[in-house]
Amino acid sequence: MRKLLITLALMVGSFSLASPAQDLFDQASFYLEFYYNGFSTVNVKDLGSRYQQKLEQTCASAGENCTYDQAVPLIESMIEEIGDGHTYYQSPVDLSRSDQSRQGEQPSKVLRVGLSHQAVSGSHDRLVMDVVEDSPASEAGILYGDRIVAVNGRLLESFSSDADAQKFLSEQVQSGNPVTFTIVRGTERQKLDIRMVPREINEVRLPSLRYLPGDVAVIHIPEFFPEGVVGERVHRLVSQAKEHGSKSMILDLRGNPGGSAMEALISMAAFMDNPTVIFTDRYSSQRTEYIIIGSKGSIRNAKGDTLTRFNLPFASRWTSPLAILVDEGSASGAEYLASALQQAGIGKVIGQPTFGIGNTTTRTFDLINGGGLNISFNRAFFAGGKPYPEQVKPDILSKLDLDILANQGRDVVIEQALQILKGQSMANTVAPLQPNALMFSAIN
Amino acid sequence: MPFWKYALTPILAMGLFSPVLASPAQNLFDQATFIIGFNYNGPIKLGSFRDLRKKYQPQLDQACTGLGEQCGYVQAKGVIQNILQTINDPFTLLVSSAELEDDDRFGSGLGPVAPRIGVWAKETSKGLVVTEAFLSEPAYKAGIRRGDVIAQIAGQPATLARLKEAEASPKAVSVQVLRQGESRELSLTPQAADESMQPKLEVVGTTAILRVYHFYSSREFSTARQIQQLVAQAEQKGAKGLVLDLRDALTGFDTEALLAAGVFMPKVGFIYQSRFQGQSSSQRVENGRYFEKPENQEEREARNQSLPKAFLSKLPLVVLVNHNTINSAEMLAYFLQSGGRAKVVGEPTAGALGVSGGAEGPLLSGDFLAVSSLRLQQLDGTLFPMRLTPDVQISDDPEALAAGHDLVLDRALELLKGGL
């Protein structure tokens, strides 16, 4: 008799629990509660109980047919309460896209010329903020800071709103026909017609190198996602810049959202000796130390056993003056790199305080709906045991002025970096010049 | 006075932002109970992970009595083993990372990482009866063969425990080996096996005997591909019948078992039933090509699984199994039996036929958990049994083997001779 009662109770118990929504929620809340190792002060356990109640309300009518999709918004707002940029949900589509970018293959699926642009205040023109490497735009020579004033002969000013201008631009790119942008460039406000054939592009971003007058090289690292690619390319670009005879360098990490910690580490080795990151998990069961010495890297566990060795046959090393640019969009791997260089006293960091997730790494847990839950899993430390800072605070604060960029073709942050580099390379021989004069002469 | 003292407690408690430190035992218990409770989809009713925790937390508390935050992984492992015992399914187990490393090596066509003399043996009153001496390993090289009896190890009566002990030392060990009354003294030095445990073919007259030890694979090595090649070889050598010996065979990848069945059957397949919506899939092999159809998606060929060539054998077939034949090995026997392609002779199998899953982890202790998270079904939806029942039941007899008679094999040969 008693036995029967127990059986019934168990059955009722498992009936009320079994729905796809509940399964997905259970999985997500367990992973969060068990593995979260970030710095949020939110009590994750309480959070889980609170959202369990919300889930029960949401699923009240659907019962055991309550779907994965009904649980997802609750999981997302639960995670939002944690307020940690390294802890986030990815839909199945997002997850497969980030897998693609890790593998270095992220087809755009639509026709693109390969640039991102934004509004210019007081005008419907568009300002080029970013150009994808190996895209029609980069091949045609479009540059960051170019101002698009017309598309296929039609002035963007002639539209009644930014939205209409943007829509027209997109339609022309999507038409599949060649498209001509009229742009205004640089401090001389040179006007150029640039013809491009839109195509499907690889949206994975790679480091690039350009030169500014005064023997200055600029290496731009837009992200650290493509594994086995980014770090090596940074070293190769450094060695190119050296061969080119560059005397100083700007490392532009603005807007870099991060990616692979390994690629960030390999990139560090192009600028400093013995870069090291030590990762600890919440239970200290998987403490690992990543270190590169010369052209040899290794990953060691807590006992000091080497788990993996890797070689950097491409290793190159920049030893001349360096300025590092960051902004509020520089996150994760970009923060690791900037912090390591700042900590080692290599180069000045210029720009805005960074996004603020430079002391953890995220790990992706696969969910039963095909999506992924990314959780702050590791905390990061320097070789001596000092933690990586959450946020990089620039040595010199400098903010991009979009109006100056759009109207005069001048990036004031780059100008400030040039000024500092010039000061460094001439510090021993020449007295500093007037700042204003420098700012103008530097950009030409 | 006592008033404010009590009042203070809740205020303090609210101020504690960081969670109270749990013991390593509690953490491991929480992790393992979730992994088991959430994923388990085997034949018994287990309840949710919450039910599991509710039921076993008192056991953990008891094991941790007096240890507090110092309560360690050992205490939790005891309770986890109790849970696994209740589930009583030879698939759902704690697996060490060393065992997983060996599985990886098997997949590359290598033997285990630890040095050994390279035999499988059964303990009897007369000593260890060798059921397999692996090609290229020390025992085989010294002349030891299936059916030999290791009577003494270093002057002591031979037991499995003593053999293991001798293998743990890098030094040479003397063994006394009996072959039908004749005695020999051999000196064996345990060695880590390189290429070993790959399928082995023997053709005697018009009968081929194919021994398979596991179903692992990797990019460079495939058990199924080897089976395919060896069966083709057997036909070329004039074999008119085949015995597929899966006695003591380890598990491996179900994909390999299915591909191996495809060497004998033009079409064969099964369904992985998950407890989670959208996670089930059907798997099938046709002409050596492997197809997968995830729930609610189109079928697609898994090209990295497919065999490079198609080959279909029509040889009369008998499969041998015993109580150690487990999981993927049971599946191969069952595909052939349920498809009417082979007669199965031997003992009822280990009992992990109808389930599968991967190794989940790592747990905090560094171990992994294999959990029956998938239930197997025929393509028509019929559930697989948990254990395969042979068409002809006959037990292994180690003592008869030592006297030169493999009774199970003899029975299979009779069946082949009689035209099944």
Side-chain angles (χ1 to χ4, degrees):
Chain A
M1 195 65 186
R2 207 199 247 162
K3 223 173 191 174
L4 184 65
L5 272 176
I6 290 169
T7 317
L8 270 177
L10 264 180
M11 279 181 63
V12 171
S14 42
F15 253 103
S16 69
L17 289 171
S19 73
Q22 184 66 57
D23 284 338
L24 182 63
F25 181 83
D26 281 349
Q27 195 184 25
S29 55
F30 168 75
Y31 285 154
L32 270 182
E33 206 179 284
F34 196 78
Y35 294 108
Y36 180 74
N37 191 31
F39 291 87
S40 168
T41 52
V42 172
N43 184 326
V44 181
K45 202 162 188 162
D46 292 349
L47 196 64
S49 324
R50 197 144 48 77
Y51 276 87
Q52 171 64 37
Q53 286 167 15
K54 292 192 187 193
L55 183 76
E56 283 165 20
Q57 287 163 18
T58 304
C59 289
S61 58
E64 60 188 281
N65 295 319
C66 198
T67 63
Y68 291 147
D69 291 345
Q70 285 175 277
V72 167
L74 287 173
I75 292 170
E76 285 178 308
S77 45
M78 177 167 78
I79 291 169
E80 205 170 304
E81 284 199 34
I82 295 174
D84 176 335
H86 262 158
T87 300
Y88 55 98
Y89 169 81
Q90 279 180 307
S91 70
V93 174
D94 293 344
L95 183 63
S96 82
R97 279 187 78 75
S98 62
D99 284 345
Q100 285 174 343
S101 58
R102 270 199 281 276
Q103 289 155 15
E105 281 297 330
Q106 194 178 354
S108 62
K109 302 245 174 84
V110 295
L111 298 176
R112 288 198 55 184
V113 290
L115 42 85
S116 59
H117 43 86
Q118 65 183 61
V120 174
S121 66
S123 157
H124 302 313
D125 294 347
R126 308 294 301 174
L127 181 62
V128 175
M129 297 308 294
D130 206 357
V131 182
V132 177
E133 302 73 26
D134 304 328
S135 66
S138 72
E139 285 157 13
I142 289 201
L143 300 176
Y144 159 77
D146 285 351
R147 177 175 178 151
I148 306 168
V149 295
V151 173
N152 285 341
R154 173 111 192 240
L155 286 176
L156 296 181
E157 260 312 277
S158 68
F159 289 94
S160 54
S161 71
D162 280 349
D164 286 349
Q166 207 181 329
K167 189 165 162 247
F168 176 73
L169 190 155
S170 294
E171 280 167 2
Q172 296 302 301
V173 169
Q174 292 306 311
S175 72
N177 298 320
V179 59
T180 301
F181 285 9
T182 308
I183 57 120
V184 175
R185 170 175 296 168
T187 50
E188 290 168 354
R189 308 319 282 155
Q190 183 187 15
K191 203 168 194 179
L192 295 167
D193 281 337
I194 295 183
R195 186 176 179 275
M196 296 167 285
V197 183
R199 60 170 191 252
E200 188 177 337
I201 61 166
N202 187 356
E203 290 182 341
V204 164
R205 304 299 310 278
L206 299 170
S208 61
L209 169 66
R210 66 188 166 106
Y211 300 104
L212 294 179
D215 295 326
V216 180
V218 180
I219 289 183
H220 176 220
I221 310 179
E223 64 178 35
F224 288 104
F225 281 104
E227 284 173 358
V229 177
V230 177
E232 173 171 349
R233 191 152 158 147
V234 169
H235 282 265
R236 293 199 190 282
L237 296 179
V238 163
S239 102
Q240 267 180 43
K242 280 159 63 176
E243 278 163 31
H244 190 263
S246 299
K247 301 263 184 323
S248 58
M249 181 179 287
I250 294 173
L251 179 59
D252 190 351
L253 302 175
R254 290 179 295 177
N256 180 324
S260 152
M262 178 65 104
E263 298 307 315
L265 179 81
I266 294 174
S267 304
M268 288 174 196
F271 303 97
M272 62 181 283
D273 291 329
N274 309 345
T276 306
V277 192
I278 297 165
F279 293 115
T280 61
D281 65 316
R282 175 160 162 181
Y283 304 95
S284 297
S285 62
Q286 294 172 51
R287 181 188 185 277
T288 44
E289 180 180 304
Y290 289 59
I291 183 162
I292 297 175
I293 297 173
S295 63
K296 298 203 181 302
S298 63
I299 304 175
R300 290 196 290 242
N301 67 11
K303 286 184 242 161
D305 300 335
T306 300
L307 304 176
T308 311
R309 283 178 212 283
F310 50 97
N311 282 318
L312 287 65
F314 44 78
S316 184
R317 178 78 152 72
W318 181 259
T319 49
S320 304
L322 179 71
I324 302 126
L325 308 189
V326 295
D327 65 10
E328 59 283 0
S330 307
S332 189
E335 293 177 303
Y336 280 77
L337 175 53
S339 288
L341 298 178
Q342 194 179 36
Q343 156 87 9
I346 293 166
K348 287 272 181 274
V349 179
I350 302 166
Q352 290 292 299
T354 57
F355 186 79
I357 50 172
N359 52 354
T360 56
T361 63
T362 187
R363 179 174 292 189
T364 308
F365 291 81
D366 289 337
L367 296 175
I368 52 173
N369 69 340
L373 181 57
N374 298 275
I375 296 176
S376 301
F377 189 85
N378 290 309
R379 296 183 178 192
F381 300 85
F382 291 109
K386 189 178 153 195
Y388 271 72
E390 179 179 20
Q391 188 182 46
V392 183
K393 302 216 165 51
D395 302 304
I396 296 145
L397 282 172
S398 176
K399 192 166 171 51
L400 181 66
D401 186 323
L402 280 176
D403 288 340
I404 294 181
L405 184 63
N407 297 320
Q408 303 174 29
R410 292 170 39 219
D411 178 332
V412 293
V413 181
I414 293 255
E415 287 177 5
Q416 194 149 8
L418 288 170
Q419 187 182 355
I420 281 156
L421 287 171
K422 198 152 190 175
Q424 279 182 7
S425 56
M426 298 193 303
N428 298 330
T429 50
V430 186
L433 300 174
Q434 291 294 322
N436 281 346
L438 245 178
M439 277 176 84
F440 279 99
S441 62
I443 198 73
N444 288 322
Chain B
M1 163 84 171
F3 215 44
W4 63 257
K5 195 175 169 191
Y6 289 123
L8 196 60
T9 321
I11 297 170
L12 260 181
M14 280 170 66
L16 285 175
F17 273 115
S18 56
V20 179
L21 275 181
S23 68
Q26 185 66 52
N27 287 332
L28 181 60
F29 173 85
D30 288 350
Q31 190 185 28
T33 45
F34 179 81
I35 290 177
I36 298 170
F38 188 70
N39 292 294
Y40 179 78
N41 193 35
I44 72 154
K45 286 266 166 287
L46 196 62
S48 72
F49 70 97
R50 293 190 183 83
D51 298 335
L52 262 189
R53 284 179 178 171
K54 209 179 288 173
K55 189 166 165 200
Y56 287 92
Q57 184 66 47
Q59 277 193 22
L60 183 74
D61 291 343
Q62 198 177 351
C64 287
T65 310
L67 294 170
E69 278 176 25
Q70 303 303 313
C71 194
Y73 294 147
V74 183
Q75 278 78 16
K77 269 198 198 176
V79 181
I80 295 165
Q81 291 293 6
N82 290 346
I83 298 175
L84 298 176
Q85 244 161 46
T86 321
I87 295 174
N88 191 25
D89 136 8
F91 189 86
T92 303
L93 299 170
L94 271 175
V95 184
S96 70
S97 55
E99 288 172 281
L100 285 184
E101 196 188 331
D102 278 351
D103 294 348
D104 251 11
R105 287 178 59 90
F106 297 156
S108 301
L110 308 174
V113 70
R116 62 175 190 178
I117 63 165
V119 296
W120 279 349
K122 294 216 157 97
E123 218 171 78
T124 71
S125 56
K126 291 176 185 141
L128 297 174
V129 177
V130 174
T131 55
E132 190 60 58
F134 293 103
L135 285 177
S136 83
E137 296 201 45
Y140 185 91
K141 283 188 192 156
I144 294 179
R145 297 291 181 271
R146 178 174 163 85
D148 286 352
V149 179
I150 301 176
Q152 291 196 341
I153 297 173
Q156 302 281 321
T159 60
L160 286 173
R162 205 156 270 145
L163 175 61
K164 208 172 165 187
E165 201 181 305
E167 288 181 326
S169 145
K171 286 179 291 189
V173 60
S174 71
V175 296
Q176 186 202 15
V177 180
L178 304 176
R179 183 175 294 168
Q180 290 167 46
E182 226 170 279
S183 167
R184 278 182 305 160
E185 290 288 333
L186 298 172
S187 170
L188 301 174
T189 308
Q191 269 177 6
D194 267 345
E195 273 195 14
S196 190
M197 298 174 73
Q198 301 187 7
K200 186 177 84 180
L201 176 74
E202 193 188 341
V203 182
V204 184
T206 56
T207 308
I209 300 167
L210 180 58
R211 284 275 278 158
V212 179
Y213 307 104
H214 65 73
F215 289 87
Y216 289 99
S217 68
S218 62
R219 225 181 296 178
E220 317 87 56
F221 175 84
S222 153
T223 302
R225 195 165 63 215
Q226 294 233 331
I227 292 174
Q228 189 194 51
Q229 285 165 358
L230 293 176
V231 173
Q233 249 179 52
E235 289 193 2
Q236 279 165 13
K237 288 183 177 170
K240 297 285 177 258
L242 183 77
V243 177
L244 177 60
D245 190 351
L246 301 179
R247 287 177 292 177
D248 299 320
L250 310 174
T251 182
F253 300 127
D254 306 342
T255 48
E256 294 294 308
L258 189 62
L259 284 164
V263 173
F264 303 99
M265 301 166 76
K267 285 184 182 183
V268 56
F270 67 91
I271 296 170
Y272 277 135
Q273 188 63 49
S274 164
R275 66 180 279 190
F276 304 118
Q277 196 184 52
Q279 298 279 303
S280 299
S281 67
S282 62
Q283 317 277 321
R284 70 184 185 88
V285 165
E286 191 171 339
N287 297 322
R289 292 168 68 192
Y290 199 101
F291 297 93
E292 181 179 34
K293 187 193 173 304
E295 189 178 343
N296 309 325
Q297 288 180 42
E298 292 296 302
E299 181 177 80
R300 56 174 187 237
E301 183 177 359
R303 281 177 202 280
N304 52 352
Q305 294 294 337
S306 294
L307 295 176
K309 279 193 298 197
F311 170 80
L312 184 67
S313 172
K314 297 201 165 114
L315 287 180
L317 182 63
V318 177
V319 181
L320 309 186
V321 294
N322 66 7
H323 69 280
N324 287 327
T325 306
I326 190 163
N327 198 235
S328 304
E330 291 177 277
M331 287 174 202
L332 173 55
Y334 185 69
F335 295 140
L336 297 168
Q337 184 192 43
S338 62
R341 179 63 182 85
K343 286 275 182 272
V344 178
V345 176
E347 301 169 352
T349 56
L353 165 59
V355 290
S356 193
E360 306 276 342
L363 299 177
L364 299 178
S365 58
D367 301 301
F368 288 75
L369 259 173
V371 180
S372 296
S373 55
L374 297 164
R375 195 81 165 86
L376 272 77
Q377 299 175 339
Q378 300 276 19
L379 292 176
D380 68 8
T382 324
L383 276 179
F384 277 35
M386 284 303 288
R387 191 186 304 281
L388 178 139
T389 307
D391 300 294
V392 179
Q393 288 206 34
I394 172 168
S395 293
D396 282 336
D397 184 341
E399 293 187 8
L401 184 63
H405 303 291
D406 185 339
L407 303 182
V408 180
L409 178 62
D410 290 348
R411 195 63 219 277
L413 296 175
E414 269 171 43
L415 276 178
L416 280 177
K417 205 173 275 172
L420 298 178

